[in-house]
Amino acid sequence: MPSGDAAAHHARRRPRAIAAVALSTVAAATIGIVIGSGFLSGGGDASPADAPAAAPAATSQATPSQATEPIVAPEVAGATAGPQVSVSPSLDLDQHSIDDPGSIWVVVNKHRPLDPIRYEPEELVSVGSGTQMTPEAASAFGALREAAADAGAGFSTSTAYRSHGFQAGLHADYVAKWGAARADDFSARPGYSEHQTGLAVDVYESAACRLKACFADETAGRWLAAHAHEHGFIVRYAEGAEDITGYRYEPWHLRYVGVELAAFMREQGIATLEEVFGVDPAPDFP
Ligand SMILES: [Zn+2]
């Protein structure tokens, strides 16, 4: 059963517009500091081979002016017309649980571990590259990958589902290498990773930009930013939302939430699950 985080559940009843404005204000006030720390890639994701060892290249995009821009879904220049997705402006945000790890709307972040912490999806199917997703997410991902390839924006899959045990090993490696505080900035603790739900997948185009912010500037990265929502995916760790999601910009980390919610967030210009559901920002582990 979903645990029902009482505080979070209550919080989501707040009018969304007000919640979003408040979050954006908080983020804008502190974002310059976070960006300034400079340690870019890796997200909840980096595989051992892609650990940020070579990554600390200073972030090129952080400028004072950007720090005060509102946090919105990415605008992509030259987005071509895709399938028109029509959603009701009054999408019922209670139709799926945000607590149940088997729900396509589950919100997992540094304040919201999976419950149970060693949760495993009931069923997983292969999405290639030796990795798996839940059947619904895998089906949507297959369609996304095909559409991208048709558009000349093909990409490869890094990892999708990661078990609690796998994430534990991964995180321990990072802690050993970087120290606990730094590791927590880019690697989820076991039980706190979206990958454990079977709804998240990391993709890449070139090896050079694998698990790095420069993926956003590659053909596939640009295409996904413009079209992932048409197949029910969002770029979960949005640019400029570190203080809300707890992770740096990860243009390669896609999270399946279904077409309805993905399109709704796009239309409303809401970049994060925390904002759309009105749950508290989770910049750090408690
Ligand atoms: Zn990821």
Side-chain angles (χ1 to χ4, degrees):
M1 288 293 292
S3 73
D5 176 335
H9 194 70
H10 181 73
R12 64 187 290 213
R13 304 289 177 195
R14 286 177 296 172
R16 284 194 307 278
I18 292 172
V21 166
L23 289 171
S24 297
T25 305
V26 169
T30 52
I31 206 162
I33 298 165
V34 172
I35 287 175
S37 65
F39 175 53
L40 249 200
S41 71
D45 301 313
S47 62
D50 292 295
T59 141
S60 55
Q61 290 133 336
T63 64
S65 67
Q66 283 181 319
T68 55
E69 286 173 8
I71 294 166
V72 294
E75 295 291 335
V76 176
T80 52
Q84 284 303 304
V85 179
S86 181
V87 292
S88 161
S90 57
L91 178 65
D92 175 10
L93 290 172
D94 286 321
Q95 64 183 288
H96 297 290
S97 169
I98 62 169
D99 302 316
D100 179 351
S103 164
I104 60 170
W105 286 2
V106 65
V107 180
V108 181
N109 62 32
K110 290 177 178 178
H111 293 181
R112 298 174 55 88
L114 288 160
D115 180 16
I117 197 117
R118 293 177 184 276
Y119 171 76
E120 294 177 17
E122 275 180 29
E123 189 181 356
L124 291 163
V125 298
S126 173
V127 291
S129 304
T131 195
Q132 302 171 304
M133 300 182 82
T134 67
E136 181 180 342
S139 171
F141 183 64
L144 176 75
R145 194 162 46 188
E146 198 174 309
D150 287 350
F155 52 78
S156 304
T157 306
S158 261
T159 65
Y161 170 68
R162 296 201 294 248
S163 68
H164 179 279
F166 182 91
Q167 191 71 27
L170 194 60
H171 192 77
D173 285 347
Y174 289 140
V175 169
K177 188 166 184 180
W178 297 98
R182 208 170 175 197
D184 280 347
D185 276 353
F186 64 88
S187 167
R189 294 179 184 175
Y192 291 79
S193 171
E194 264 199 341
H195 285 277
Q196 197 177 323
T197 65
L199 300 172
V201 58
D202 296 331
V203 302
Y204 68 98
E205 183 175 328
S206 74
C209 288
R210 186 173 180 171
L211 303 177
K212 293 183 180 156
C214 57
F215 174 68
D217 299 321
E218 296 190 320
T219 304
R222 285 197 302 272
W223 188 89
L224 284 167
H227 297 284
H229 69 282
E230 293 161 7
H231 297 277
F233 287 86
I234 61 169
V235 174
R236 173 68 173 99
Y237 304 117
E239 186 168 23
E242 291 90 337
D243 290 317
I244 297 171
T245 65
Y247 294 103
R248 290 178 172 76
Y249 181 35
E250 293 193 1
W252 64 85
H253 177 110
L254 306 175
R255 160 67 194 273
Y256 180 71
V257 295
V259 170
E260 266 195 309
L261 180 62
F264 176 79
M265 290 172 68
R266 180 82 177 187
E267 287 184 0
Q268 301 292 314
I270 300 171
T272 69
L273 293 181
E274 285 79 7
E275 289 167 296
V276 77
F277 290 118
V279 303
D280 291 338
D284 295 300
F285 288 104

